[in-house]
Amino acid sequence: MIPLPQHRLPAFDRLVPDERMVCLHHEHVAAPRPPRGVRVRRVTDDDALALAALWPDSDWIPASWGGPSALAAPGHAVAAFDRSDRGVAVACSCFGGDSYEDVAVATAPEHRRKGLARARVAALTADVSARGRTASWPCARDNRPSRPLARTIGFRLCREYTHYVTGDTSRGTGATVRAEVRESAVQGSVPPQATPRMSMKTPA
């Protein structure tokens, strides 16, 4: 991820703009009771195998941390598990700076719309707050399911910004060029120790 001024953008060919928005966590929302047969809890080192065997098309979740073992480190994620200890939903931090941590949320298709996002994010935002940071929620501006979900779980719009992608975007291998990285988007400066952890494929 490369922060780049607007006047430098014409130097790249085939730039594709991606209009996005970032919301900040403003209020705690009580977690609903999970559905019968599902447990929501913070992940531990013992959950690495379960995080490596999530539902199809979910590999970006452990990949964003460099693998399931790193994601399973305490404090990084909260997950929902079914009776067989299979991970069916995950919320994790995916980008960290001095003051903010982006939150990523993903749920297996058969477990969506059951209140699991609220339960996971309530625990994760508490962990982020305990680290002295504020949870942030980035998503595409036209992502209609994500926007109301963010508001329901205590996030409020901070501002909108633009992602630019250049290269072979048809294969998903283009390089992402940030005109404004998220830390800049919410506080106006990019901390030197900001550490991106998210792969190009995002849940938004």
Side-chain angles (χ1 to χ4, degrees):
M1 300 289 184
I2 307 171
L4 196 68
Q6 290 278 350
H7 70 274
R8 295 292 301 277
L9 295 178
F12 292 84
D13 295 329
R14 300 176 61 186
L15 280 176
V16 179
D18 178 17
E19 301 296 329
R20 301 185 65 80
M21 56 189 290
V22 61
C23 302
L24 297 182
H25 191 251
H26 277 274
E27 59 183 291
H28 175 75
V29 175
R33 184 184 299 274
R36 185 183 300 272
V38 175
R39 293 175 298 114
V40 176
R41 58 174 175 79
R42 292 170 175 84
V43 302
T44 68
D45 294 331
D46 294 335
D47 296 315
L49 289 179
L51 294 175
L54 298 173
W55 60 96
D57 199 33
S58 63
D59 56 333
W60 63 269
I61 304 170
S64 68
W65 276 91
S69 296
L71 178 60
H76 293 176
V78 177
F81 298 87
D82 63 14
R83 287 191 175 94
S84 62
D85 274 341
R86 182 177 71 97
V88 297
V90 179
C92 68
S93 298
C94 60
F95 182 92
D98 275 347
S99 304
Y100 303 93
E101 289 188 28
D102 280 0
V103 171
V105 178
T107 305
E110 67 273 20
H111 287 274
R112 292 172 185 169
R113 300 184 182 278
K114 296 181 179 180
L116 291 178
R118 287 177 58 188
R120 287 169 293 148
V121 173
L124 183 61
T125 52
D127 291 343
V128 172
S129 180
R131 290 191 283 270
R133 295 171 176 165
T134 299
S136 52
W137 181 283
C139 71
R141 195 163 64 179
D142 61 355
N143 189 334
R144 292 186 177 181
S146 185
R147 294 174 65 173
L149 173 60
R151 187 169 186 85
T152 299
I153 53 185
F155 288 80
R156 298 294 180 266
L157 177 65
C158 174
R159 66 171 296 180
E160 298 175 346
Y161 63 102
T162 303
H163 257 177
Y164 289 91
V165 179
T166 183
D168 188 357
T169 57
S170 64
R171 297 183 180 180
T173 57
T176 300
V177 181
R178 283 183 169 178
E180 299 171 318
V181 294
R182 293 187 190 113
E183 191 82 15
S184 174
V186 292
Q187 72 176 25
S189 62
V190 182
Q193 61 267 51
T195 308
R197 307 188 190 102
M198 175 60 77
S199 60
M200 182 175 173
K201 186 173 183 181
T202 67

